[in-house]
Amino acid sequence: MAVPADPPDNTPDGRGGGDEEFRPDEYRSVVFDDDFVRAARLQEYSAQERMGEHARAVRSRSIWSGSGPSRPRTGTPSRAARQGMMLVLLIAVAFAAAVYMGLRNPATPLPDSHTDPLSSTVVPLAPTAPVPGGRPADLFAKSPAADYRVGAAGITLPAARRTHHFTEGQVVTALSIAKDYLVQSSLDPDVLAGAATRPVRVLLDPDLLAQFDRSMTSPSGDGRHAATGWLVRFDQNTAVVADSRVRVSGALTYQEVSPDVLEVVTDHTFVYAVRPATGAPAPADGASLFTVRRELRLRFDREDLTARRAELAAAYVMAGPQDCSADPADSFRPLLAGAGPTTVGPAASDPYAAGHPRRTAGLCGVLAPEEGATPPVSPAP
């Protein structure tokens, strides 16, 4: 009996038709006998056997790689985290490059913070006539200082305008510091008496302090260390101020000398009423006038303006009446009321004249006669 599992004796599903109906045309030449078919068996290989020596189909993922499955493994940074890391790295590199270029760029050199020492000239003015004496108010009224203002009111500031590299506010600051310096160094009673120097010292650039201190403790006429180049003070063994209402007149000017430095020039005349320095009170009519003409050149960089201090670069001072033989480097020694003329210098110098003071060629000048000067009055014994 024929069954479907025993081909080729019968066709599948019990259909007849022979070899022509069962085999396709392309397999007609292939004929398997019954023994071959019965001996054949099917074998299914395992997954490991099918892989053989081939490489692993799954690659390990790197945090910098964008390949791999869309679902990240546990503990592996996501795509957004990787992009964030890259952004932070790029910002750090750009910042470092900017800092490096800013420090190394030759087009923007660091400003020179060097401060030159003070150069000063102090010239005594000798009288050509006896020194007038009297009451301070009468002496002022009959002198060229009659219309001068009293004290700091005589130091007026000019209209301030911005320069190419400094603002109007910075110019105003420089002018106000210059005025403060004049007030402290020319009008402070303790400074005039030689009892204090700190009011002047605190207004100076730190680079000048060593020179200033040496000028106060060991003054000399070497053009660098004259105490009277920095400030006004009187020899307390010779004369003291008889009237605190010092008469003042002058002007301030300013200019930009470099992109980092602003310069202020002060030119003022100070007129003091002085009297002999004696133990007993001097008579009211025993005063005399002493005149100091100061031309100062002060410089300010931006750090000075912020700290409210000055770099005193140059000072030209004329003061009299004094004896030409006196050394004015330490303090001024006025010739008092009734003192006669002394050895005179090479040229007349009027400390009351407007404009820049006439500079003398020698170490002593001539005090031009005061208009309306009264005859000398000798102090009472």
Side-chain angles (χ1 to χ4, degrees):
M1 176 177 179
V3 294
D6 298 324
D9 294 342
N10 197 6
T11 59
D13 298 330
R15 293 179 298 174
D19 292 335
E20 290 296 328
E21 293 181 3
F22 178 76
R23 295 184 179 88
D25 294 339
E26 60 268 32
Y27 297 112
R28 282 177 184 172
S29 59
V30 180
V31 179
F32 297 96
D33 56 18
D34 294 342
D35 295 334
F36 175 82
V37 173
R38 290 189 181 95
R41 66 186 182 91
L42 297 177
Q43 181 178 356
E44 180 70 19
Y45 288 97
S46 66
Q48 185 68 29
E49 291 173 330
R50 289 197 301 270
M51 290 179 61
E53 298 298 326
H54 294 290
R56 293 173 58 88
V58 180
R59 293 178 296 175
S60 61
R61 301 179 61 198
S62 168
I63 63 172
W64 305 108
S65 173
S67 62
S70 59
R71 177 181 298 177
R73 295 181 180 178
T74 303
T76 303
S78 65
R79 181 182 297 272
R82 292 196 302 271
Q83 292 176 346
M85 293 178 184
M86 290 294 295
L87 180 59
V88 171
L89 179 59
L90 290 175
I91 292 175
V93 172
F95 179 79
V99 172
Y100 177 83
M101 294 300 295
L103 294 177
R104 302 290 295 180
N105 188 0
T108 57
L110 295 176
D112 184 9
S113 59
H114 175 70
T115 301
D116 293 328
L118 167 66
S119 175
S120 61
T121 302
V122 182
V123 180
L125 300 178
T128 58
V131 178
R135 296 177 181 274
D138 297 334
L139 293 173
F140 283 129
K142 296 178 180 180
S143 75
D147 297 329
Y148 287 9
R149 295 182 177 181
V150 176
I155 306 173
T156 57
L157 303 184
R161 295 181 177 84
R162 65 165 297 135
T163 64
H164 189 62
H165 295 94
F166 289 88
T167 66
E168 179 180 333
Q170 290 174 319
V171 173
V172 171
T173 299
L175 292 171
S176 64
I177 297 172
K179 178 175 180 176
D180 290 345
Y181 187 87
L182 286 174
V183 170
Q184 298 302 326
S185 64
S186 308
L187 300 175
D188 185 281
D190 292 333
V191 172
L192 296 178
T197 59
R198 189 176 185 278
V200 180
R201 191 179 190 274
V202 296
L203 293 174
L204 292 172
D205 186 280
D207 291 343
L208 294 174
L209 295 183
Q211 183 187 10
F212 176 83
D213 293 341
R214 178 180 170 185
S215 300
M216 298 301 110
T217 57
S218 302
S220 66
D222 60 358
R224 287 285 188 270
H225 301 95
T228 49
W230 301 91
L231 48 80
V232 176
R233 69 181 182 184
F234 296 99
D235 177 15
Q236 295 299 290
N237 295 321
T238 303
V240 294
V241 176
D243 190 341
S244 60
R245 295 169 296 178
V246 181
R247 303 312 196 261
V248 184
S249 180
L252 293 90
T253 57
Y254 65 89
Q255 65 174 340
E256 179 182 311
V257 295
S258 76
D260 298 308
V261 177
L262 192 65
E263 182 179 82
V264 176
V265 176
T266 72
D267 184 8
H268 290 78
T269 299
F270 301 85
V271 185
Y272 306 86
V274 297
R275 60 176 177 80
T278 59
D285 58 356
S288 61
L289 298 184
F290 188 82
T291 304
V292 179
R293 178 75 175 265
R294 302 183 77 197
E295 183 186 90
L296 307 180
R297 193 173 302 273
L298 302 103
R299 292 180 175 175
F300 306 87
D301 57 27
R302 288 174 174 78
E303 187 176 356
D304 293 326
L305 296 176
T306 301
R308 292 196 63 83
R309 66 195 186 200
E311 302 173 14
L312 184 57
Y316 185 82
V317 181
M318 299 186 301
Q322 293 187 93
D323 193 326
C324 283
S325 62
D327 182 9
D330 181 14
S331 56
F332 297 128
R333 297 174 176 82
L335 292 174
L336 302 172
T342 63
T343 303
V344 299
S349 301
D350 185 2
Y352 296 95
H356 294 289
R358 177 179 177 181
R359 300 176 185 269
T360 61
L363 298 179
C364 187
V366 177
L367 180 63
E370 301 177 5
E371 296 181 4
T374 59
V377 177
S378 299

